Amino acid sequence: MAERRMFAKTIIDSDAFLDMPLSSQALYFHLSMRADDEGFINNPRKIQRMIGSSDDDLRILMAKNFILAFESGVIVIKHWKIHNYIRNDRFKPTMYQDEKALLSEKENKSYSLDDVGIPSDNQLSYQLDTQVRLGKDRLGKVRDRKDITPSEQAPKAKPVRHKYGSYQNVLLSDVDMDKVKNEFPNDYDERIERLSEYMASTGKSYKNHLATIRNWAKRDNKPARNEYTTNKIKHEKLPDWNNNQKKGLSDAERAEMEAMMNDYF
């Protein structure tokens, strides 16, 4: 089988060919490159998957009559003999003689498929449609199961948050607002206003404003820390030597000592 393939500009430059999506055109070139010396291909689906083409691309090529399909799953390039001329010493006949017998050759050397034994909707297209229907049926069965994992379930809608504060930048849902009122019944307005003014003046933002109000309330309730109270200085009481000495002396000794001290000073 020859390794080189050619393409006729009369085919690939036609409006019918250029009007197809680029993915369909690419699939046509790949199919043509891998066809045997008479334009037959027995694995179009493999080539389709190999290049990442879709089933629709194959259907478009069949609908536009750029390829002809058989019940066996084999396809043939319709304009093969317009594209390629292979020398007799390099030519290798196709293995698919049964499919070839269903073809006739027009004057312009393009293949034509006889309707005998071929359904109106060709076998390959039927197989593709059947697989699509089977895939949808299986998908429906999976969706009907009750043991669907949480990741497959539809995400819950987030509650609507309303704007509060003078700057309308404190966002609280109805549930959050009820919690603020219950937890801070006497000054919830002041706490919301405090957060609103702080965010407006500093440009800061918070993900959860209810959590921020609660956090600030905890900080407000903590006693102020004083470095002098936390690190208390231990004061040692000096011994009273004068009193201790006086307690251990008699009256005569104390009088004598006092006299000596008076004389000395």
Side-chain angles (χ1 to χ4, degrees):
M1 186 175 68
E3 292 294 327
R4 297 181 181 180
R5 299 302 183 212
M6 294 178 291
F7 298 93
K9 286 185 177 180
T10 54
I11 304 301
I12 63 174
D13 281 352
S14 64
D15 289 340
F17 186 85
L18 296 177
D19 285 344
M20 293 190 302
L22 293 178
S23 56
S24 300
Q25 298 180 30
L27 179 59
Y28 180 80
F29 287 124
H30 279 276
L31 292 172
S32 300
M33 289 299 298
R34 290 165 176 82
D36 63 16
D37 288 349
E38 293 191 75
F40 289 85
I41 307 159
N42 71 338
N43 58 348
R45 296 295 303 279
K46 177 182 177 181
I47 298 172
Q48 172 194 333
R49 291 192 298 267
M50 183 175 61
I51 68 171
S53 184
S54 66
D55 293 340
D56 288 338
D57 294 322
L58 202 58
R59 291 194 187 97
I60 290 173
L61 292 177
M62 290 187 291
K64 295 276 190 177
N65 284 327
F66 285 103
I67 62 175
L68 305 176
F70 301 92
E71 291 182 351
S72 61
V74 176
I75 67 170
V76 66
I77 306 298
K78 177 179 176 65
H79 306 99
W80 178 259
K81 291 190 175 182
I82 299 176
H83 290 313
N84 294 278
Y85 172 77
I86 302 175
R87 287 168 29 182
N88 291 333
D89 59 339
R90 296 183 179 179
F91 176 77
K92 183 178 179 180
T94 184
M95 297 171 53
Y96 309 103
Q97 294 298 321
D98 293 339
E99 287 79 6
K100 183 180 178 181
L102 300 174
L103 296 175
S104 59
E105 188 175 325
K106 295 183 178 181
E107 293 182 0
N108 62 355
K109 295 185 178 182
S110 65
Y111 289 128
S112 178
L113 183 62
D114 296 334
D115 294 335
V116 179
I118 304 297
S120 57
D121 188 8
N122 58 66
Q123 180 70 14
L124 185 58
S125 179
Y126 172 78
Q127 292 174 352
L128 296 178
D129 292 338
T130 302
Q131 290 178 358
V132 171
R133 288 196 297 271
L134 288 174
K136 290 181 178 179
D137 292 341
R138 293 194 185 102
L139 182 60
K141 290 180 181 179
V142 172
R143 291 302 178 191
D144 290 340
R145 286 167 44 193
K146 295 182 179 180
D147 56 343
I148 299 176
T149 58
S151 60
E152 294 178 344
Q153 296 178 353
K156 295 182 180 179
K158 293 183 178 180
V160 179
R161 296 194 297 174
H162 306 287
K163 297 179 180 180
Y164 296 94
S166 299
Y167 299 93
Q168 294 290 291
N169 53 358
V170 179
L171 304 179
L172 297 170
S173 66
D174 292 336
V175 176
D176 291 342
M177 190 60 181
D178 291 338
K179 292 180 180 179
V180 173
K181 290 180 179 180
N182 292 333
E183 294 177 17
F184 312 103
N186 298 325
D187 60 349
Y188 67 89
D189 286 332
E190 296 178 3
R191 294 182 183 276
I192 293 174
E193 190 64 28
R194 176 185 174 191
L195 178 58
S196 178
E197 292 177 356
Y198 181 78
M199 290 193 297
S201 61
T202 61
K204 291 185 177 181
S205 60
Y206 299 92
K207 293 182 179 180
N208 190 319
H209 292 169
L210 172 61
T212 305
I213 293 174
R214 286 172 170 173
N215 187 35
W216 285 12
K218 291 180 181 179
R219 290 191 300 180
D220 292 342
N221 293 332
K222 288 183 178 180
R225 295 185 62 184
N226 190 327
E227 59 181 354
Y228 296 104
T229 58
T230 54
N231 299 323
K232 294 183 178 180
I233 301 175
K234 294 183 179 180
H235 298 277
E236 295 185 359
K237 187 176 181 180
L238 297 177
D240 190 355
W241 297 105
N242 188 29
N243 292 333
N244 290 340
Q245 288 178 352
K246 290 182 178 180
K247 289 180 181 179
L249 299 177
S250 63
D251 294 338
E253 291 175 341
R254 188 179 299 109
E256 184 179 357
M257 182 176 291
E258 290 178 357
M260 293 176 61
M261 292 179 66
N262 290 334
D263 294 339
Y264 180 79
F265 290 104

